[in-house]
Amino acid sequence: MDVKSRNCLLMNRQALEKDIKTSYIMDRMISDEVLTLQEEEKVKQQNTQKERAAMLINIILTKDNNSYRSFYNALLHEGYRDLAALLQDGIPAISSGNRKSSMDGMTSYVKTILCEGGVPQRPVVFVTRPKLVDAIKQKLRCLGSDPGWVTVYGMAGCGKTVLTAEALRDHQLLEDYFPGGVHWISVGKQDKAGLLIKLQNLCSRLENDSTLSQRPPLNIEEAKDRLRLLMLRKYPRSLLILDDIWDSWVLKAFDNQCQVLITSRDRSVTDAVAGNKYEVHVESGLAHEKGLEILSLFVNMKISELPEQANCLVRECKGSPLVISLIGALLRDFPSRWEYYLKQLQNKQFKRIRKSSSYDYEALDEAMSISVEQLNDNYKDYYKDLSILPKDVKVPTKVLCILWDMETEEVEDILQEFVNKSLLFCDRNGNSFHYYLHDLQLDFLTEKNCNQLPELHKNIVNQYKKYYILNTPVPSQEDCMYWYNFLAYHMAGANMQKELHDLMFSLDWIKAKTELVGPAHLIHEYVEYSSILDQKNGTVRENFQEFLSLNGHLLGRQPFPDIIQLGLCQPETSEVYQQAKLHAQRETGAFYLEWINKKSLKNLYRLVVRPHRDTVYHACFSKDRQRIASCGADKTLQVFKAESGERLVEISAHDDEILCCAFSADGEFVATCSADKKVKIWNSRTGQCRCVYEEHSEQVNCCQFSNRSGQYLLATCSNDTFIKLWDLNKKYCRNTMMGHLNSVNHCRFSPNDEYVASCSTDGTVKLWEARSANELKSIEIKDFFKNADEQPDDVEVLVKCCSWSRNGDMILVVAKNKLLLFDVKTCDVLTQVIVSHHSTIQYCDFCPGDELVAVALSHCSVELWNIKSLSKVAYCRGHMSWVHCVAFSPDGSLFLTSSDDQTIRIWETKKVCKSSDDVLKSELDVVFHNGEVMILAIYNQKHLQLINGNTDSVNMQTAAQESTISCCCLSEDLKFAAFGQESGTIKVLQLLDGKVLKSREAYRTSVQHCRFTSDCQTLISSAHDSVIQVWNWQLSECVFLRGHKEAIKDFRLLENSKLLSWSFDGTAKVWNITTGNTEKDFACHGGAVLSCAVSPDGSKFSSTSADKTAKIWSFESSSVLHELKGHEACVRCCTFSPNNKLLATGDDKGEIRIWDILTGALLHFCSPVTVDEGEPTHGGWVTDLSFSPDSKMLVSSGGYLKWWNVTTGESLQTFYTNGTNLKSIHVSPNFKVYVTVDNLGILYVLQKL
């Protein structure tokens, strides 16, 4: 150290030891790298304040000039300006040519300039923000040599001061643009007396060794003049930095044709001064990684070693540099308080997060409070109104116009004042403005005004009601989305129980809101505000929540379904049903249907969501059961709330279908694997991609994380025959397991993570040691498919999936239609079950309780089996197509299923296990008799039931038959019934008591159709062959109708003992059933004839075919009258109108066409629109059609039921069945009752309201 500096320090030592507190001064000196942590510790060990100061001075005296400068600067910035003035004469000189770089990249020249200019040191912990620093430098260069202003503005604590000081640590910038030096003044909030002191100190500093030195200026004008002369004569090319400017009048004192950089929360502060002006906006938050970097530096840990609370802290404060630094400094002193400070932040306890650095304010709330206090009194009230704005929401101007009852321009002027002062942020979108608060500002406001919040919420609700007194917002209005998303939030905030009740339990509101934003947000609100909604009666809220949970997948689609019709399908005790019924009765001319036998149906699922636009291959719960991740053929990964289906994250994740996804044990990450051969890891909350692994050479079928929290180990398997293990902290694969000879379909860690099980198309399950990747055991699953009853030995046994028991002692394996349970130690098979003879198992999962196993089947259903008793305990119907995945929640209380039908269904395990699996086949017969609807149905494959559709009661049920029943029919007088079986047997029984009257072994193949003649004496039947049998069952005589070359598709009785039949051979024939002779032969089509219909006058019939055409024929001339072309798929059904003028045809694309019989001209399409990326209007094939008696309406069956206006082709109503693939519809003569069965075996008796 220079002798002059040393003497100055020794001379003033007594004054320094008496006054200074060492802690913050040492912070600055450590950041300047002139003081070590060991030296700091040495100072702290002294007992008294005076002894600590003495020890610090002793240490400084042993050091160089830099430590003197650093000590001087620290005194200046920690408020010891009088003591700093004592040391000013001892500051060592330095030449600008000295470019020797110090540790932090600053030259000695820069250090001296900044030290003399009073520029603050870097904080103890500092991370770079190069973009913003460069932006400030660039604006300073823009000043050139002209006078002007650079404003660095942003909200409290965003880092303006630190960034500005950092921009000045640039040798080239200072030498080229500001060779006269820089002069930093911390201004802050000042009155005139305070400003005068600041100006006097600045003048004194600039005059320190000058001949101009004189008495201090006595007023602001004199000070301004003195400063102007100093800047012009002594410091002509220097930069004046005014830190923390609050008021524009303050700037006038510095408006003297020099170059000035200011930091401020108020963007408009330079409006009052002249000259060139430039702005740099400092964002309110750091990037997440930068926030973590600051915390890691404070607590001296690697980022990867930080606890989970670090992520939460940065997220909670939205990356605010001030908050992170305050908490980081506190954690340095109290390293175990992560959870404590996180809770203080979450609970808005800002006063607890107190000063632990040299920041100007005692606590976080003071830093924000002081900004608000600067507002005019009338503006303060407007700012208080913003306390009730929702977090992270950009609010359109129109909402605040309604709140304050003002014109747009007036509101924008008020809000601009807040924006200028960095109290509010503005986002311009086209011509409209949207405003939002930083989380910290909002938290501060809600804490400050906590007692007034209910009143503020009430005010905005009342203003909304006043503005929208006659109508509701429509989508074209900019405020529309705000009200639909947050009106309930404001009502709940005001505890307006009646208003919230009326809103949330209104079908009109539900319809409007779901059409705009889907159902998930509404379900979330029912859960969130249940305590208010349940005050009178919780059942109503449960009714509405269940209605949305189970119909959400329909409400989220286009065209939007009729919510009144959906409501009419609810139980009659439900408030939703009662409201829907009132609506339906009020609407004149509307077409609504009552499901009169719905009482027997119980909904077993808790939530149905449709997050994807294609097949959902996989879904899984997070460990806390709060979230579900799903993936599929649309190449996206979705993460949504398990309670409501509300989407949290949506990522276009891969270039091809995503086959599997998995949460890490702590829920922080989600892994995905795809047919594009890649494995990717995503942050489950932000959707950011953490890493991509590309070592597999073929599609990756499965990915699974290990079970222990904090250990990020991932197993993947692929068609390339390999299983790979990845450690997320490393770039490359940790281990590769080789041994399978074919594609590996599935892999899973054992519960203790010591082993990995894998299933392969090579017919084996292998167990591997996770640590060494060595193969431990191999089980030949194909050996269990070699009995005589099974398929031949050479058929490939594809092992689909496996699941470990909770203790890891057993492993469950599925292949084909079998469940196999193995002992892990011995590899012995403990149990094997054939689950189904009709479908294959797609997936399985062990319930955490170890007794239940869920299996997903290819025929749309899921079954639960008790693996100990080997009994099926539940049969879950609901999906409309193949089920690909089934997975239990970690506690086993729920399980989810995903399917080709684009939905994920969440089921309650207990509820499902109590249900029965009564199923009707789709083949049924219906007789409408004296106002009664009598239905003959095949029940659970082997029984026949006679059901009264009006009362939903079973009048008769037969005993179980020896063979599965394949078809059935009723006599018109309701005395007899007949049925055919898969064995080829036909039986006639008496309905009164179910007694079999006659039986005949008629066919060698399954019977397809049977019908009584009008006198009930004769039964006509067909099977999977080319012969129709006419059996007079009372006389035991049979006539065979032979002539078709291929199987009969169907037949229809005509008058005078005639019968029309049609076949897969492309022909139709007219028979005399008495003689068995063919009377007419029609070579109809090149492809199979799929349906025929006879005109009401009996003169014509129509035929439809797989060749995509329909034809109208004359019985009399045996010739074709019209060939109807234009369908783009198989024409599956047709029907004539009762007025004999129209023919309707339906095809496999879901399209219906109406034709003129006389001319063969096409009159209408029935709404040939397609929705949702090509989903057919009719949800699949059109399978049956029926006109109303007046020929003005048409009903069609297919994926669901639809009613049409024949004149316009418009849809009148849609009835969504629980299942799909409706084979036929039976319609009463008055067109008021409709009967059908879906592919889940659910019966629908519908009556027009």
Side-chain angles (χ1 to χ4, degrees):
M1 188 183 292
D2 288 356
V3 175
K4 182 184 172 188
S5 305
R6 185 179 179 80
N7 289 342
C8 190
L9 196 56
L10 289 167
M11 198 166 61
N12 296 296
R13 177 175 187 148
Q14 202 171 354
L16 291 165
E17 287 176 1
K18 184 179 163 190
D19 283 354
I20 64 171
K21 291 180 182 174
T22 55
S23 59
Y24 297 144
I25 290 171
M26 289 196 293
D27 276 352
R28 289 188 171 274
M29 293 182 73
I30 289 167
S31 75
D32 286 346
E33 297 174 358
V34 298
L35 196 70
T36 67
L37 292 171
Q38 289 80 2
E39 287 166 336
E40 180 192 34
E41 201 53 45
K42 203 171 174 182
V43 173
K44 281 182 175 177
Q45 284 168 359
Q46 306 308 307
N47 294 325
T48 65
Q49 180 184 318
K50 190 172 182 181
E51 285 171 356
R52 285 192 287 274
M55 177 58 73
L56 178 61
I57 292 165
N58 285 340
I59 290 168
I60 294 168
L61 286 166
T62 66
K63 292 180 175 283
D64 61 7
N65 290 339
N66 280 339
S67 52
Y68 186 95
R69 288 191 200 97
S70 176
F71 181 54
Y72 166 79
N73 210 26
L75 290 172
L76 207 59
H77 278 276
E78 290 301 332
Y80 301 108
R81 298 180 191 280
D82 50 342
L83 295 176
L86 299 175
L87 300 184
Q88 196 159 13
D89 290 342
I91 296 173
I94 194 158
S95 68
S96 94
N98 184 351
R99 282 180 175 263
K100 189 184 174 191
S101 184
S102 66
M103 289 272 290
D104 57 6
M106 278 201 297
T107 60
S108 304
Y109 167 68
V110 169
K111 281 199 169 189
T112 304
I113 294 287
L114 300 190
C115 189
E116 288 174 351
V119 175
Q121 305 291 332
R122 279 182 180 147
V124 179
V125 167
F126 172 75
V127 294
T128 56
R129 294 164 81 182
K131 276 190 182 174
L132 284 167
V133 171
D134 289 346
I136 296 169
K137 288 182 190 176
Q138 193 247 328
K139 298 298 181 191
L140 286 171
R141 291 186 188 106
C142 289
L143 288 173
S145 54
D146 300 326
W149 307 79
V150 173
T151 306
V152 179
Y153 70 96
M155 71 176 275
C158 66
K160 303 180 290 291
T161 302
V162 172
L163 289 164
T164 301
E166 192 59 25
L168 300 175
R169 292 186 179 93
D170 183 319
H171 188 111
Q172 207 64 51
L173 179 77
L174 297 180
E175 200 169 62
D176 294 352
Y177 290 88
F178 309 112
V182 295
H183 312 288
W184 185 293
I185 316 167
S186 294
V187 181
K189 179 66 188 158
Q190 298 294 345
D191 57 10
K192 290 194 174 179
L195 179 62
L196 180 58
I197 292 168
K198 293 275 180 189
L199 284 162
Q200 287 171 339
N201 286 344
L202 178 61
C203 291
S204 162
R205 217 164 89 195
L206 296 175
E207 292 167 340
N208 63 27
D209 59 346
S210 168
T211 51
L212 295 170
S213 190
Q214 50 192 300
R215 65 162 177 78
L218 299 176
N219 56 50
I220 289 173
E221 280 305 312
E222 186 186 341
K224 179 180 177 180
D225 210 41
R226 176 97 51 95
L227 185 60
R228 183 175 60 81
L229 288 171
L230 280 166
M231 296 300 281
L232 277 170
R233 293 178 186 176
K234 191 174 179 196
Y235 303 99
R237 289 186 66 199
S238 62
L239 177 68
L240 191 58
I241 301 110
L242 308 176
D243 185 30
D244 199 21
I245 294 290
W246 285 83
D247 301 296
S248 52
W249 65 265
V250 170
L251 289 188
K252 289 182 179 176
F254 300 93
D255 189 7
N256 49 25
Q257 294 297 297
C258 60
Q259 296 181 316
V260 187
L261 184 152
I262 65 169
T263 71
S264 178
R265 305 177 191 192
D266 189 346
R267 180 185 182 181
S268 62
V269 77
T270 55
D271 290 353
V273 292
N276 296 326
K277 293 169 192 171
Y278 304 95
E279 288 180 349
V280 178
H281 176 236
V282 179
E283 299 102 338
S284 54
L286 297 164
H288 192 80
E289 287 300 316
K290 288 280 182 193
L292 292 176
E293 190 183 336
I294 290 180
L295 287 175
S296 72
L297 290 167
F298 267 113
V299 296
N300 197 22
M301 294 166 79
K302 291 179 183 173
I303 291 178
S304 59
E305 293 169 354
L306 290 172
E308 175 52 30
Q309 289 94 330
N311 279 304
C312 300
L313 278 166
V314 176
R315 270 200 298 270
E316 189 67 34
C317 72
K318 285 288 171 72
S320 162
L322 164 62
V323 182
I324 294 170
S325 299
L326 283 177
I327 291 174
L330 290 165
L331 285 165
R332 185 175 57 191
D333 296 334
F334 304 103
S336 61
R337 289 192 182 177
W338 288 96
E339 192 64 39
Y340 173 75
Y341 290 124
L342 175 59
K343 278 186 180 155
Q344 301 313 322
L345 199 55
Q346 287 169 335
N347 298 334
K348 326 287 182 256
Q349 297 294 323
F350 300 127
K351 289 184 176 67
R352 304 267 179 91
I353 301 169
R354 300 194 63 77
K355 183 172 180 175
S356 179
S357 73
S358 54
Y359 194 65
D360 295 348
Y361 305 103
E362 277 299 313
L364 184 52
D365 62 329
E366 189 189 335
M368 289 182 281
S369 174
I370 202 155
S371 300
V372 180
E373 292 307 314
Q374 297 314 303
L375 294 169
N376 295 336
D377 286 346
N378 56 335
Y379 276 61
K380 281 180 191 171
D381 283 338
Y382 291 129
Y383 195 63
K384 190 203 316 180
D385 286 341
L386 305 184
S387 309
I388 52 161
L389 295 186
K391 263 193 182 182
D392 299 322
V393 173
K394 295 178 180 179
V395 181
T397 314
K398 178 80 179 290
V399 171
L400 297 160
C401 292
I402 292 169
L403 173 60
W404 294 331
D405 206 2
M406 290 182 184
E407 293 296 319
T408 304
E409 291 74 13
E410 292 177 273
V411 169
E412 284 176 354
D413 288 348
I414 292 169
L415 297 175
Q416 192 56 44
E417 181 72 14
F418 301 150
V419 171
N420 286 341
K421 290 185 164 40
S422 298
L423 289 169
L424 186 69
F425 296 91
C426 177
D427 187 19
R428 183 159 193 166
N429 186 3
N431 294 324
S432 65
F433 292 94
H434 287 68
Y435 298 91
Y436 60 100
L437 289 161
H438 187 280
D439 278 14
L440 291 173
Q441 292 167 328
L442 187 55
D443 290 344
F444 165 72
L445 276 175
T446 51
E447 188 195 19
K448 185 182 177 195
N449 303 310
C450 58
N451 296 327
Q452 295 164 274
L453 291 179
E455 203 51 46
L456 294 172
H457 279 292
K458 190 174 183 178
N459 183 35
I460 195 170
V461 173
N462 290 335
Q463 288 298 105
Y464 166 85
K465 287 163 72 178
K466 180 176 156 189
Y467 189 86
Y468 286 110
I469 193 165
L470 297 172
N471 52 11
T472 51
V474 294
S476 57
Q477 296 169 299
E478 66 165 334
D479 61 327
C480 170
M481 289 300 284
Y482 181 86
W483 298 117
Y484 279 113
N485 278 320
F486 300 111
L487 184 56
Y489 157 77
H490 290 304
M491 287 177 174
N495 202 17
M496 299 170 84
Q497 198 257 340
K498 183 186 181 302
E499 287 84 350
L500 186 64
H501 192 283
D502 292 347
L503 182 80
M504 298 287 287
F505 301 153
S506 153
L507 281 177
D508 291 331
W509 177 259
I510 291 170
K511 180 179 190 295
K513 178 158 178 168
T514 50
E515 286 185 9
L516 273 175
V517 298
H521 190 258
L522 255 172
I523 298 169
H524 167 74
E525 288 179 327
Y526 285 123
V527 176
E528 186 82 3
Y529 309 135
S530 57
S531 58
I532 302 170
L533 294 169
D534 291 354
Q535 277 173 21
K536 284 186 181 174
N537 179 2
T539 313
V540 178
R541 194 256 316 155
E542 287 169 9
N543 290 163
F544 276 89
Q545 189 176 326
E546 183 178 76
F547 169 62
L548 278 173
S549 297
L550 303 184
N551 292 286
H553 62 299
L554 298 173
L555 290 165
R557 79 202 301 175
Q558 291 193 350
F560 293 110
D562 188 323
I563 199 162
I564 307 302
Q565 183 58 65
L566 289 176
L568 287 168
C569 296
Q570 296 302 293
E572 290 181 13
T573 53
S574 165
E575 179 70 22
V576 180
Y577 169 81
Q578 287 158 20
Q579 270 199 45
K581 185 107 184 225
L582 284 172
H583 272 274
Q585 288 165 342
R586 278 202 304 264
E587 285 189 43
T588 50
F591 188 93
Y592 288 111
L593 298 140
E594 184 90 84
W595 182 4
I596 58 180
N597 70 318
K598 67 184 170 206
K599 289 189 284 292
S600 59
L601 187 76
K602 293 186 185 75
N603 277 314
L604 301 178
Y605 27 88
R606 172 161 158 171
L607 178 69
V608 185
V609 285
R610 191 165 174 251
H612 295 273
R613 287 284 170 265
D614 209 332
T615 299
V616 190
Y617 286 127
H618 198 84
C620 57
F621 285 97
S622 60
K623 203 161 191 177
D624 61 5
R625 215 188 80 172
Q626 299 302 306
R627 294 176 295 157
I628 290 171
S630 65
C631 60
D634 64 0
K635 308 172 192 173
T636 68
L637 168 68
Q638 309 279 350
V639 180
F640 55 91
K641 288 183 181 175
E643 182 78 54
S644 65
E646 190 176 355
R647 183 173 288 148
L648 300 170
V649 175
E650 178 178 19
I651 309 164
S652 293
H654 287 267
D655 302 325
D656 207 336
E657 296 184 336
I658 307 176
L659 304 175
C660 188
C661 58
F663 273 108
S664 59
D666 60 5
E668 200 56 32
F669 300 107
V670 178
T672 55
C673 61
S674 164
D676 67 6
K677 309 173 191 174
K678 293 175 188 169
V679 178
K680 297 188 181 183
I681 312 297
W682 309 89
N683 183 307
S684 70
R685 298 179 197 281
T686 65
Q688 286 180 311
C689 186
R690 171 169 168 154
C691 48
V692 181
Y693 299 127
E694 300 188 57
E695 291 184 35
H696 282 293
S697 57
E698 292 190 42
Q699 81 170 29
V700 190
N701 295 314
C702 180
C703 54
Q704 196 79 37
F705 273 104
S706 55
N707 299 300
R708 274 200 291 269
S709 273
Q711 176 189 332
Y712 298 122
L713 201 58
L714 181 77
T716 61
C717 62
S718 161
N719 281 3
D720 62 12
T721 76
F722 301 137
I723 302 111
K724 289 181 180 283
L725 289 188
W726 314 84
D727 184 332
L728 263 55
N729 296 316
K730 295 176 182 171
K731 286 186 179 178
Y732 303 105
C733 168
R734 193 178 98 168
N735 271 327
T736 300
M737 300 168 179
M738 296 177 278
H740 282 294
L741 306 174
N742 209 329
S743 306
V744 189
N745 304 309
H746 192 251
C747 57
R748 271 197 184 177
F749 278 97
S750 62
N752 62 6
D753 294 332
E754 288 183 16
Y755 308 108
V756 174
S758 60
C759 305
S760 168
T761 307
D762 65 13
T764 66
V765 170
K766 291 184 186 289
L767 303 183
W768 314 79
E769 195 175 55
R771 189 171 291 172
S772 66
N774 291 333
E775 181 181 327
L776 292 176
K777 292 172 181 174
S778 183
I779 305 170
E780 293 282 345
I781 302 299
K782 55 186 177 218
D783 291 350
F784 295 91
F785 291 88
K786 288 190 174 176
N787 348 5
D789 301 335
E790 292 289 348
Q791 295 169 350
D793 300 354
D794 57 348
V795 170
E796 184 178 68
V797 175
L798 192 152
V799 188
K800 274 277 178 80
C801 171
C802 63
S803 182
W804 293 83
S805 62
R806 186 166 49 177
N807 60 9
D809 290 348
M810 300 179 289
I811 189 161
L812 183 74
V813 179
V814 300
K816 292 190 179 180
N817 59 352
K818 269 191 183 180
L819 277 178
L820 300 134
L821 187 66
F822 292 96
D823 183 296
V824 170
K825 284 181 184 166
T826 64
C827 293
D828 292 339
V829 67
L830 302 172
T831 295
Q832 54 178 312
V833 187
I834 295 175
V835 170
S836 168
H837 289 286
H838 301 283
S839 60
T840 57
I841 303 174
Q842 299 296 307
Y843 206 84
C844 72
D845 197 28
F846 237 131
C847 182
D850 275 357
E851 282 198 9
L852 282 183
V853 172
V855 289
L857 299 165
S858 57
H859 69 228
C860 321
S861 66
V862 172
E863 294 178 358
L864 297 192
W865 285 73
N866 185 312
I867 205 70
K868 288 185 179 171
S869 64
L870 302 186
S871 58
K872 180 164 70 172
V873 291
Y875 175 76
C876 311
R877 311 176 281 171
H879 284 293
M880 299 190 185
S881 191
W882 280 36
V883 182
H884 287 284
C885 170
V886 58
F888 281 100
S889 61
D891 62 0
S893 63
L894 304 175
F895 64 95
L896 60 76
T897 54
S898 71
S899 164
D900 266 353
D901 67 10
Q902 305 175 10
T903 68
I904 294 165
R905 289 167 195 255
I906 292 105
W907 314 70
E908 288 184 54
T909 311
K910 280 184 181 169
K911 209 172 175 184
V912 164
C913 289
K914 287 176 185 168
S915 70
S916 65
D917 58 349
D918 299 348
V919 178
L920 301 183
K921 283 188 77 166
S922 53
E923 290 75 18
L924 50 77
D925 196 16
V926 182
V927 171
F928 299 96
H929 184 72
N930 295 335
E932 285 200 325
V933 183
M934 301 309 293
I935 301 154
L936 188 68
I938 302 161
Y939 164 76
N940 282 359
Q941 308 278 349
K942 293 189 177 182
H943 299 268
L944 212 56
Q945 277 188 349
L946 183 66
I947 301 165
N948 184 320
N950 305 67
T951 62
D952 196 29
S953 56
V954 177
N955 289 7
M956 183 277 298
Q957 179 175 315
T958 66
Q961 301 299 307
E962 67 286 348
S963 168
T964 300
I965 302 172
S966 51
C967 63
C968 62
C969 66
L970 279 168
S971 65
E972 287 177 21
D973 60 7
L974 293 176
K975 288 182 179 175
F976 307 108
F979 60 89
Q981 294 176 263
E982 285 186 3
S983 62
T985 304
I986 302 170
K987 294 182 182 179
V988 177
L989 53 85
Q990 195 166 266
L991 281 178
L992 192 63
D993 54 9
K995 181 185 171 188
V996 174
L997 301 174
K998 283 285 172 74
S999 175
R1000 167 180 164 76
E1001 291 182 14
Y1003 298 93
R1004 290 180 181 174
T1005 59
S1006 177
V1007 184
Q1008 293 300 292
H1009 301 284
C1010 59
R1011 281 191 197 98
F1012 283 104
T1013 53
S1014 54
D1015 62 4
C1016 310
Q1017 306 270 320
T1018 304
L1019 186 71
I1020 303 168
S1021 61
S1022 67
H1024 270 312
D1025 64 17
S1026 59
V1027 180
I1028 298 168
Q1029 297 191 16
V1030 182
W1031 177 35
N1032 186 320
W1033 58 275
Q1034 292 187 334
L1035 301 175
S1036 298
E1037 293 172 355
C1038 193
V1039 175
F1040 297 90
L1041 310 181
R1042 291 186 171 94
H1044 283 295
K1045 293 186 174 63
E1046 288 183 41
I1048 309 294
K1049 180 69 176 76
D1050 206 347
F1051 56 83
R1052 176 170 171 170
L1053 278 158
L1054 307 175
E1055 291 177 354
N1056 307 320
S1057 302
K1058 302 284 194 295
L1059 180 131
L1060 174 69
S1061 67
W1062 53 96
S1063 162
F1064 287 97
D1065 63 12
T1067 68
K1069 297 179 189 290
V1070 177
W1071 309 82
N1072 183 316
I1073 60 172
T1074 311
T1075 65
N1077 296 330
T1078 309
E1079 296 200 347
K1080 301 266 183 185
D1081 208 335
F1082 300 88
C1084 296
H1085 296 274
V1089 181
L1090 300 178
S1091 72
C1092 288
V1094 178
S1095 64
D1097 63 5
S1099 66
K1100 307 174 196 70
F1101 79 94
S1102 59
S1103 62
T1104 70
S1105 170
D1107 66 9
K1108 304 180 186 176
T1109 67
K1111 294 179 181 179
I1112 301 174
W1113 302 83
S1114 163
F1115 276 121
E1116 193 178 336
S1117 65
S1118 301
S1119 60
V1120 66
L1121 299 175
H1122 302 291
E1123 185 172 1
L1124 311 175
K1125 293 182 176 177
H1127 280 287
E1128 294 174 15
C1130 294
V1131 189
R1132 194 154 294 275
C1133 57
C1134 57
T1135 188
F1136 284 94
S1137 64
N1139 66 8
N1140 215 21
K1141 291 181 179 177
L1142 308 171
L1143 177 75
T1145 55
D1147 68 22
D1148 286 2
K1149 261 186 94 176
E1151 193 174 272
I1152 297 165
R1153 294 173 177 236
I1154 312 286
W1155 311 84
D1156 186 307
I1157 293 175
L1158 201 60
T1159 64
L1162 175 65
L1163 300 176
H1164 299 295
F1165 292 101
C1166 283
S1167 294
V1169 292
T1170 55
V1171 293
D1172 281 359
E1173 297 178 12
E1175 182 185 311
T1177 319
H1178 215 297
W1181 299 353
V1182 181
T1183 55
D1184 201 2
L1185 296 160
S1186 184
F1187 276 100
S1188 62
D1190 61 5
S1191 305
K1192 290 181 179 176
M1193 284 171 69
L1194 180 74
V1195 61
S1196 60
S1197 64
Y1200 27 81
L1201 297 175
K1202 283 187 88 76
W1203 285 259
W1204 308 89
N1205 180 319
V1206 171
T1207 314
T1208 62
E1210 289 174 5
S1211 170
L1212 297 171
Q1213 188 54 271
T1214 303
F1215 185 93
Y1216 290 96
T1217 49
N1218 287 33
T1220 183
N1221 297 351
L1222 313 174
K1223 284 195 177 176
S1224 62
I1225 180 151
H1226 298 261
V1227 183
S1228 66
N1230 63 4
F1231 205 69
K1232 288 189 174 176
V1233 181
Y1234 314 87
V1235 182
T1236 190
V1237 172
D1238 65 19
N1239 66 334
L1240 304 177
I1242 299 167
L1243 176 69
Y1244 301 85
V1245 182
L1246 309 177
Q1247 187 163 15
K1248 182 176 180 292
L1249 267 178

